Amino acid sequence: MAEVDSHEGEQDLEKKIEETRQRFKNELLQDSTDKYDCRDVEKLQKDDALVEGYLAWRLNVVDDALKMIDESFQWRKEFGVNDVSESTIPKWMFETGAVYLHGYDKEGNKLFWFKVKLHVKDAKTILDKKKYVAFWLERYAKKEPGMPLTVVFDMAESGLSNIDMDFVKYIINCFKVYYPKFLSKMIIVDMPWIMNAAWKIVKSWLGPEAISKLKFASKAEVHSFIDMEYLPPHMGGTDSFKYSYPPLPDDDFQTPICDNGPIVSEDETESKECEVERKDSLESSFNSEVVAKPKKVNFLEDSLRSEENDRLDTSARSKGARKPMTTFKGPLLDVSPAEELSFGSGETEKKSLIILSNVTKNQVAFKVRTTAPEKYRVKPSSSCCEPGASVEIVVSLHGGSQASPQDRFLVMAAEMDNAGSQELAQFWKEVPKAKVMEHRLRCHVLEGAKPAVSLLKESPMETEASGQQEINTTLMRLAACNSRMEQKLNTCLWVQKVLIGLVLVLMVLNLLCLYLLGTAQRTS
């Protein structure tokens, strides 16, 4: 029965998606073809997830979703969002560190930090600041499609001079209108009491569908949303991250340890050699990695020599690994699974397979990086794939490590024009960034895989708070539905009053006619 209901729900959603597209074409595009960026229009016609996002954020009401699409697309063209890049934003904005992506909350959502004390209201720079926020959101939307963000307003050491209500309203609109289903929650940390009135106004801007996502937390309370490892010291956390630019600080990917030890480094900042025993965990950062003795790779000779060994080794490596069920179709490689690797606590749940299939006519070099190199072993973590061939990569949890929703994997691939003798590390140093394909994978923790320690840590208060949040969300949706029904009811009542008024007028006219007729008869 549940499967039938699910199937009917999917069919109903497909109909609404098609209806939204058709009405957008007939009602909005007919007004003016120059109203929107043609790239956004094309994406709306092809990307079901985009349309579904607008519908879901407007409770599957097509009229409301169309209004949202119209406003969103006009904003995207006005701000030139599709063409916003690092080079189009003033460099000083990146250098201030007022806005950036870093870390994850307890649910695995990326953190979008706003350092309020670094913001100064200035009418001359407000447009650039708005484009700067759009740059980060658009960059994340392309890298992590479908994944929500948790916005953190760090109010430490801020005052009234740092509050720009126009800018705050713009940020609210970004998540309320321009990027549907993008907001996981908005956490206001350590807010001074003097700003209470300002944030009451902000709450009125959010609307019923987003009001439950606004969280006010003190330094002592914020750890209920974000683990200590991603909180800065002034919030009581242990995160040693310090913002600096360049590079952009939103990539936390590092090179994992493969089964044969550390792999070759990839750039000059990672070229320091250090001795590490195979049993030790790899200590690495974004700018430094452990380097083994450089390995030369001759793709013509080495591939033939190791082919037989690989065949025998693959079955042993992949035994017990979770097989992928979905596939991402890339320009160089097809990547399976398409979105996430699944891990659990059981012995048969500690391995997952990544299958790469070369769809080009040349050899493709690839490498795998992760945000948690100390947890995972990857084999092979860097190699090449022959034209038309496939490579199985085994990703396994190391020792007693537990997978986390915050963990991410990055598959990088680049086409090799000549298959001659090359040093793999040298190839990655020289290949242009524009020619590198990147695909990100999330980590999914299976039911029952949560560590016992974390279960002990969970208090009834946290469980109750989670349940309360779900209830609040449901109530907000009901409130929105009731509001629409109330509007329709008021319209009906107004029509009813008009009709009653007309009936009364007709009755009065009828009585007047009877009176005049009686008067005429008496006169005659």
Side-chain angles (χ1 to χ4, degrees):
M1 185 67 179
E3 290 181 2
V4 174
D5 291 341
S6 176
H7 182 65
E8 289 178 352
E10 289 178 4
Q11 287 184 328
D12 184 53
L13 179 60
E14 288 175 2
K15 289 179 181 177
K16 284 187 177 291
I17 289 173
E18 188 56 38
E19 180 188 351
T20 303
R21 284 177 174 150
Q22 196 61 42
R23 286 185 58 185
F24 174 81
K25 184 178 179 181
N26 295 338
E27 298 173 19
L28 298 177
L29 277 184
Q30 280 187 349
D31 295 343
S32 174
T33 55
D34 297 329
K35 193 177 181 182
Y36 315 117
D37 189 318
C38 61
R39 289 167 289 186
D40 293 327
V41 175
E42 184 179 357
K43 187 177 181 182
L44 187 78
Q45 297 300 328
K46 293 181 179 179
D47 190 349
D48 287 353
L50 179 64
V51 186
E52 185 182 345
Y54 284 112
L55 284 167
W57 197 237
R58 286 297 176 259
L59 304 175
N60 289 329
V61 178
V62 177
D63 285 339
D64 294 345
L66 285 170
K67 291 176 183 176
M68 188 178 181
I69 292 170
D70 178 47
E71 188 176 348
S72 175
F73 278 19
Q74 287 191 62
W75 167 79
R76 290 180 65 85
K77 181 167 184 180
E78 179 188 352
F79 276 71
V81 175
N82 288 311
D83 298 312
V84 169
S85 65
E86 190 174 347
S87 61
T88 64
I89 304 294
K91 187 179 179 181
W92 67 266
M93 287 195 173
F94 291 104
E95 293 172 341
T96 60
V99 179
Y100 58 86
L101 290 164
H102 172 71
Y104 301 90
D105 68 8
K106 287 190 173 183
E107 297 172 353
N109 302 311
K110 193 79 173 180
L111 298 176
F112 194 20
W113 291 88
F114 285 83
K115 298 282 187 180
V116 179
K117 71 175 183 179
L118 299 177
H119 178 82
V120 179
K121 187 174 181 178
D122 183 0
K124 295 179 181 179
T125 61
I126 188 64
L127 183 60
D128 283 332
K129 288 176 181 176
K130 289 180 177 180
K131 287 186 177 181
Y132 182 48
V133 172
F135 163 80
W136 281 110
L137 292 174
E138 193 69 9
R139 179 182 173 86
Y140 182 74
K142 290 175 180 176
K143 287 190 172 187
E144 298 272 5
M147 288 297 292
L149 281 169
T150 290
V151 177
V152 183
F153 282 97
D154 182 0
M155 307 290 289
E157 301 177 26
S158 64
L160 288 175
S161 62
N162 303 117
I163 296 295
D164 183 348
M165 297 306 286
D166 178 52
F167 187 58
V168 173
K169 189 172 185 179
Y170 169 77
I171 295 169
I172 297 293
N173 273 340
C174 280
F175 294 100
K176 185 180 177 183
V177 180
Y178 309 146
Y179 291 90
K181 289 186 70 179
F182 233 55
L183 183 64
S184 168
K185 63 183 75 71
M186 185 177 288
I187 308 173
I188 319 298
V189 184
D190 204 21
M191 186 184 71
W193 66 269
I194 200 168
M195 297 186 188
N196 282 338
W199 283 102
K200 283 181 180 178
I201 298 172
V202 171
K203 288 177 74 172
S204 70
W205 291 338
L206 282 170
E209 67 279 343
I211 194 72
S212 63
K213 299 178 183 292
L214 187 63
K215 312 292 180 184
F216 292 90
S218 64
K219 290 178 182 178
E221 297 167 336
V222 69
H223 70 270
S224 62
F225 303 107
I226 306 168
D227 284 325
M228 295 297 186
E229 63 178 309
Y230 290 120
L231 284 174
H234 73 270
M235 290 185 184
T238 59
D239 190 0
S240 59
F241 170 80
K242 290 185 178 179
Y243 180 90
S244 63
Y245 176 82
L248 292 173
D250 63 331
D251 271 330
D252 306 316
F253 292 101
Q254 303 167 20
T255 301
I257 294 179
C258 65
D259 284 351
N260 295 327
I263 71 164
V264 180
S265 65
E266 287 129 12
D267 55 51
E268 293 179 0
T269 61
E270 300 170 339
S271 63
K272 294 183 179 179
E273 292 187 4
C274 42
E275 296 179 358
V276 177
E277 292 182 4
R278 184 168 176 236
K279 294 181 181 180
D280 292 341
S281 64
L282 176 64
E283 294 181 359
S284 61
S285 68
F286 187 80
N287 294 321
S288 61
E289 293 177 358
V290 175
V291 180
K293 184 181 289 185
K295 178 176 70 175
K296 285 229 172 183
V297 180
N298 186 314
F299 293 110
L300 290 176
E301 298 175 9
D302 288 4
S303 59
L304 293 172
R305 187 163 51 244
S306 62
E307 187 176 356
E308 185 63 28
N309 292 334
D310 284 345
R311 252 200 312 266
L312 295 172
D313 190 43
T314 298
S315 59
R317 279 192 285 116
S318 61
K319 186 177 180 181
R322 183 172 293 274
K323 303 291 191 298
M325 304 297 290
T326 57
T327 301
F328 165 77
K329 302 287 186 181
L332 303 180
L333 297 174
D334 285 351
V335 183
S336 299
E339 295 182 351
E340 57 188 24
L341 294 174
S342 297
F343 295 95
S345 57
E347 287 301 318
T348 59
E349 298 173 336
K350 290 190 174 182
K351 288 183 180 180
S352 277
L353 272 184
I354 300 176
I355 301 176
L356 305 180
S357 301
N358 188 346
V359 296
T360 72
K361 296 180 180 179
N362 296 319
Q363 286 180 327
V364 172
F366 67 85
K367 59 180 176 179
V368 180
R369 308 190 85 191
T370 178
T371 57
E374 73 284 353
K375 288 185 182 181
Y376 299 96
R377 295 296 179 265
V378 179
K379 186 176 181 182
S381 58
S382 180
S383 187
C384 75
C385 186
E386 297 293 329
S390 296
V391 175
E392 289 189 353
I393 300 172
V394 179
V395 182
S396 56
L397 284 164
H398 176 61
S401 298
Q402 294 285 347
S404 167
Q406 290 97 332
D407 299 341
R408 298 287 192 275
F409 295 87
L410 174 67
V411 178
M412 303 175 70
E415 196 170 8
M416 306 189 74
D417 297 328
N418 7 338
S421 178
Q422 272 184 284
E423 187 178 328
L424 193 57
Q426 190 64 31
F427 168 77
W428 283 111
K429 286 181 185 179
E430 296 173 354
V431 65
K433 190 175 181 181
K435 292 187 177 182
V436 177
M437 167 192 145
E438 293 186 353
H439 183 67
R440 286 161 170 74
L441 297 170
R442 303 187 294 269
C443 180
H444 172 65
V445 181
L446 299 171
E447 291 287 334
K450 188 179 285 189
V453 176
S454 65
L455 290 174
L456 291 172
K457 286 182 180 179
E458 285 185 359
S459 65
M461 187 177 295
E462 289 176 347
T463 306
E464 184 181 345
S466 176
Q468 186 64 40
Q469 183 176 344
E470 292 180 6
I471 293 172
N472 287 340
T473 303
T474 304
L475 288 174
M476 289 305 104
R477 290 180 177 176
L478 288 173
C481 291
N482 287 339
S483 177
R484 284 197 297 271
M485 290 178 66
E486 187 178 350
Q487 289 176 359
K488 292 179 181 178
L489 183 61
N490 288 336
T491 303
C492 292
L493 289 173
W494 180 82
V495 173
Q496 187 179 23
K497 289 177 181 178
V498 171
L499 291 174
I500 292 172
L502 289 173
V503 170
L504 290 173
V505 170
L506 290 173
M507 290 176 65
V508 170
L509 290 173
N510 189 36
L511 289 172
L512 183 60
C513 289
L514 289 173
Y515 172 75
L516 292 173
L517 183 62
T519 302
Q521 288 176 349
R522 283 195 297 273
T523 304
S524 60

